[in-house]
Amino acid sequence: MQTCGRHSIYRVPLYRGFFVRTFKTLPVVDIAALVKDDKESAAQLRAAKDLHAACRDVGFFYAVSHGVPASITDGVLLEARQWFNLPAHVKQEISLGPETCYRGYQQLGSNVTRFDGGFQRDHHEAIDLYKEESDRDASPLHGRNQWPVQRPSFDTSLQQYADACLGVGQAIMRGIALGLGLPGDYFESPEGGGTTAESSYWVMRAIHYPPLSQGEGQLGQAASQAVAGAEVERHVQLSCGEHTDYGLLTLVNQEPHIPALQVKNAAGEWITAAPIPGSFVCNIGDMLKVYTNGLYEPTAHRVINADPSRSRVSIPFFYEPAFEAQVAPIPALVPAGSAPNFGSVRYGTHLENKVLNNFELEPQASSVGEA
Ligand SMILES: N=C(N)NCCCC[C@H](N)C(=O)O
Ligand SMILES: O=C(O)CCC(=O)C(=O)O
Ligand SMILES: [Fe+2]
């Protein structure tokens, strides 16, 4: 039986998919008919079929014809770049911590990626925003966001971008439901978790990846060093360490011309998700593995900005279940007479287990320079 604590669901190998997931490229899916909500048209069923193949065989795809104007997607990247150029003390006005419900700014090296027995520091700075939540007592994550109000135009474009992504996320989830042979609104219905653009416990991260120091970002350079207590800090610099995403569906808006996001196939090869202008790079999260009884697997990915001459900005948007959603295998996807492969997971609990372990906020032994 699966649990979602330390031994998280994505660490369990699923050999069934081993021979299938040998992709060398990522599929491109035209989602226009889903965004238009062109109900069960041939084009919509085509898109649903393509999503099904992409989710089952790769776990990643480019979504094109999503209908979000370039003024919004390009504009928010430009605004983010300018915000990250502000002096450190200005950015730190919205620093995150437990007291800000993990919402706000994290400086370079404070986000970490965990592995069994230790962690490594990610080489990025970021702003984390979540669905606004006034009930502070219900979870350490519930609270108000710290928007980057120092640049009101960034604040406004982030809000517009989030609204647009919520629409796209809901449309793609309708396509994923159809592709699984379910009613298009399955994930919006109470038995499917009740996730809508209104209820989704969405996350948005504006991320700035400065160049890695020369020679870093390469495999084989890992050096582990024991620190006080049992935890080990691994001193290998990656822009973002290998991980899977936590919820349903991630949409990544990335700057053009800087290939840095890498996706792991079943042979352990890293396939670069090079930017395609006008697209979102999409991937599925841990909760879709549970819903599909293991048919769809969240694919491990990482970020290496290997270009020594320039930094990279990306703004992933995470379309996630409602916080209180109880996620369990969809009965229609469990073979008759078999027990489900996973037990029920409360999404908010899975998210807390992740986020509360994502930061090492105390000062570092070896300091990293400012971006
Ligand atoms: N909400 C999501 N999916 N955030 C993904 C961030 C992944 C980085 C983090 N260091 C980690 O290892 O999880
Ligand atoms: O920056 C990217 O391209 C992806 C970042 C990512 O994987 C994440 O924040 O979960
Ligand atoms: Fe990710």
Side-chain angles (χ1 to χ4, degrees):
M1 186 66 67
Q2 295 299 308
T3 60
C4 64
R6 253 188 91 62
H7 302 283
S8 35
I9 47 182
Y10 62 86
R11 296 229 176 86
V12 177
L14 224 172
Y15 294 104
R16 176 199 47 73
F18 189 83
F19 296 104
V20 183
R21 291 188 145 203
T22 50
F23 59 88
K24 300 277 186 185
T25 59
L26 308 180
V28 176
V29 181
D30 183 319
I31 62 165
L34 292 166
V35 170
K36 272 187 285 185
D37 203 14
D38 202 359
K39 282 215 179 18
E40 318 234 342
S41 62
Q44 200 174 78
L45 295 175
R46 170 86 256 157
K49 237 181 129 176
D50 291 349
L51 286 174
H52 176 60
C55 293
R56 186 196 50 197
D57 300 341
V58 183
F60 261 81
F61 56 92
Y62 293 92
V64 297
S65 308
H66 50 66
V68 182
S71 56
I72 292 186
T73 51
D74 296 352
V76 73
L77 289 169
L78 220 83
E79 287 285 350
R81 197 167 256 294
Q82 288 170 6
W83 190 87
F84 284 114
N85 274 335
L86 293 171
H89 73 270
V90 177
K91 295 186 279 191
Q92 283 160 5
E93 285 167 10
I94 60 164
S95 286
L96 65 65
E99 66 292 346
T100 68
C101 312
Y102 299 91
R103 295 156 185 254
Y105 172 68
Q106 58 210 257
Q107 66 183 22
L108 205 55
S110 52
N111 203 307
V112 302
T113 299
R114 298 209 172 263
F115 55 90
D116 276 334
F119 67 89
Q120 71 194 54
R121 294 178 187 276
D122 296 338
H123 198 65
H124 65 246
E125 57 177 339
I127 304 173
D128 285 4
L129 299 151
Y130 292 73
K131 177 184 174 63
E132 295 279 5
E133 191 69 70
S134 50
D135 179 7
R136 279 191 67 116
D137 297 332
S139 162
L141 300 178
H142 285 188
R144 309 300 300 180
N145 281 324
Q146 299 198 84
W147 293 91
V149 288
Q150 303 92 342
R151 272 187 70 85
S153 50
F154 181 31
D155 182 357
T156 307
S157 31
L158 272 176
Q159 305 213 28
Q160 282 177 350
Y161 175 70
D163 283 346
C165 287
L166 279 169
V168 175
Q170 184 163 350
I172 294 177
M173 286 310 299
R174 285 184 182 166
I176 288 178
L178 291 171
L180 286 166
L182 303 164
D185 63 357
Y186 181 81
F187 293 104
E188 297 164 40
S189 68
E191 72 269 27
T195 298
T196 62
E198 289 70 43
S199 70
S200 164
Y201 203 75
W202 57 266
V203 182
M204 178 165 60
R205 309 189 68 211
I207 314 177
H208 178 231
Y209 301 96
L212 295 166
S213 336
Q214 208 69 45
E216 302 255 40
Q218 305 298 319
L219 292 180
Q221 302 214 357
S224 292
Q225 185 185 305
V227 293
E231 271 214 323
V232 165
E233 179 171 355
R234 186 159 69 188
H235 294 279
V236 56
Q237 245 191 18
L238 298 179
S239 304
C240 182
E242 175 178 348
H243 67 280
T244 60
D245 290 344
Y246 317 148
L248 289 175
L249 178 72
T250 306
L251 316 175
V252 179
N253 175 21
Q254 55 177 337
E255 284 185 326
H257 312 307
I258 310 177
L261 174 59
Q262 302 179 344
V263 182
K264 197 184 191 177
N265 72 14
E269 299 163 324
W270 291 99
I271 308 301
T272 300
I276 297 181
S279 74
F280 286 110
V281 179
C282 300
N283 62 280
I284 56 177
D286 299 337
M287 293 302 104
L288 266 178
K289 176 170 182 169
V290 178
Y291 272 128
T292 62
N293 200 37
L295 180 63
Y296 293 175
E297 279 211 80
T299 310
H301 53 283
R302 68 181 185 184
V303 179
I304 294 182
N305 176 18
D307 187 333
S309 67
R310 54 188 171 174
S311 66
R312 168 180 184 261
V313 168
S314 72
I315 310 192
F317 184 89
F318 304 89
Y319 184 82
E320 312 296 51
F323 195 86
E324 298 295 341
Q326 287 290 343
V327 178
I330 298 168
L333 302 181
V334 178
S338 314
N341 289 332
F342 311 106
S344 168
V345 178
R346 176 177 171 262
Y347 173 65
T349 305
H350 182 60
L351 182 69
E352 287 173 355
N353 286 337
K354 293 289 185 176
V355 176
L356 270 53
N357 288 303
N358 263 353
F359 298 100
E360 292 288 330
L361 296 169
E362 69 279 5
Q364 294 171 234
S366 58
S367 71
V368 281
E370 215 179 281

